[in-house]
Amino acid sequence: MKNALTIFLLFIFVSLHAQEENQSRGILIKTLPIQDAIYQNPNLIIEKPINEKYSVSLLVAFRFSDWIFKSTSFGGMVLPIKHNAKGYTLGGFFKHYYSKKKQIPGGFYVGGTLRYSDIIMPDVDYISDSDPTYFRTVELKRKTMEVGGIWGYQVLWSRFIMDFYVGTGLQYRISEEKLVSGNPKYLQSEYSTFIPRLYLGFSMGVKLF
């Protein structure tokens, strides 16, 4: 939570500083439609240009689902399975627009991102076909810190915006299991992992002024 608060305060400070220097070029309000429609994770992105080439953004998302990799009945293949969840994600972005023929907030850019997520998934089942003693239902808590780099192109038609991007990052996740039912033998009370991340998506929105 402290990391999330730091990101928010940094965004406010930089935005106010930019306005004092008369370098403000409006505010962009965007959303990630795939997260909204498919994953049921409503979100909002506020992007604020701070000068001729740079902008900062704040991401706020409510998490109603998350993914767990599990062994399935398809030949034991490990596949991502979506589970109901509750929680949030807060993040910050920093963009450098380098297109010479485009004016911010349009054109090609490179940037970085920092995110923090706090999620709880109730009633997560773990079952093994090969080991009949391996079964349990847990409440799974996840706290995830993430850093990454992105490259993209943002299109501005009048006040309508579409932002296409790719990139890669790394997550550090702390997970905690609380037994609901089943065999406690394989219960993992707390463990941490590093997870590589691939970004591929787009956001859309409007430029307010």
Side-chain angles (χ1 to χ4, degrees):
M1 189 63 187
K2 291 182 179 179
N3 294 335
L5 181 60
T6 300
I7 293 172
F8 178 75
L9 293 177
L10 178 61
F11 177 82
I12 296 298
F13 172 79
V14 173
S15 299
L16 292 175
H17 179 71
Q19 291 178 359
E20 291 173 358
E21 296 294 328
N22 295 319
Q23 294 174 329
S24 172
R25 291 180 177 270
I27 294 178
L28 286 66
I29 304 297
K30 301 183 289 184
T31 186
L32 300 163
I34 295 178
Q35 293 282 348
D36 287 334
I38 299 178
Y39 302 139
Q40 295 87 49
N41 294 331
N43 59 87
L44 182 69
I45 301 172
I46 304 173
E47 181 175 352
K48 180 71 175 65
I50 57 177
N51 60 26
E52 298 293 334
K53 292 293 182 180
Y54 295 93
S55 75
V56 293
S57 302
L58 175 68
L59 164 69
V60 180
F62 295 100
R63 304 293 299 274
F64 295 111
S65 70
D66 203 3
W67 298 82
I68 299 176
F69 283 88
K70 289 184 176 181
S71 177
T72 66
S73 58
F74 299 101
M77 293 178 58
V78 177
L79 298 174
I81 306 298
K82 187 171 75 170
H83 283 267
N84 293 331
K86 57 182 179 180
Y88 66 90
T89 295
L90 291 179
F93 301 84
F94 182 77
K95 291 182 179 179
H96 167 55
Y97 290 86
Y98 61 87
S99 298
K100 295 182 180 180
K101 296 182 180 181
K102 298 288 185 179
Q103 186 176 14
I104 188 171
F108 288 100
Y109 64 84
V110 294
T113 178
L114 180 66
R115 299 182 185 183
Y116 173 79
S117 299
D118 194 335
I119 300 168
I120 298 176
M121 287 176 283
D123 300 329
V124 177
D125 297 321
Y126 290 97
I127 300 173
S128 174
D129 294 333
S130 59
D131 184 355
T133 67
Y134 188 94
F135 68 95
R136 67 188 187 279
T137 299
V138 302
E139 177 187 81
L140 181 60
K141 297 181 180 180
R142 285 178 170 177
K143 294 183 179 181
T144 306
M145 289 151 281
E146 179 179 330
V147 61
I150 55 175
W151 175 82
Y153 185 80
Q154 185 157 271
V155 183
L156 180 63
W157 293 293
S158 183
R159 293 191 178 277
F160 180 71
I161 300 162
M162 293 195 72
D163 184 3
F164 303 88
Y165 61 89
V166 296
T168 185
L170 183 66
Q171 294 180 339
Y172 175 68
R173 175 178 294 164
I174 301 174
S175 303
E176 180 182 350
E177 294 183 2
K178 180 180 179 181
L179 187 67
V180 176
S181 63
N183 190 344
K185 177 180 178 180
Y186 298 102
L187 184 70
Q188 301 183 67
S189 57
E190 184 173 309
Y191 55 97
S192 61
T193 52
F194 285 95
I195 305 169
R197 178 74 189 273
L198 178 65
Y199 307 117
L200 176 63
F202 75 99
S203 63
M204 56 190 300
V206 295
K207 185 174 183 290
L208 293 185
F209 53 85

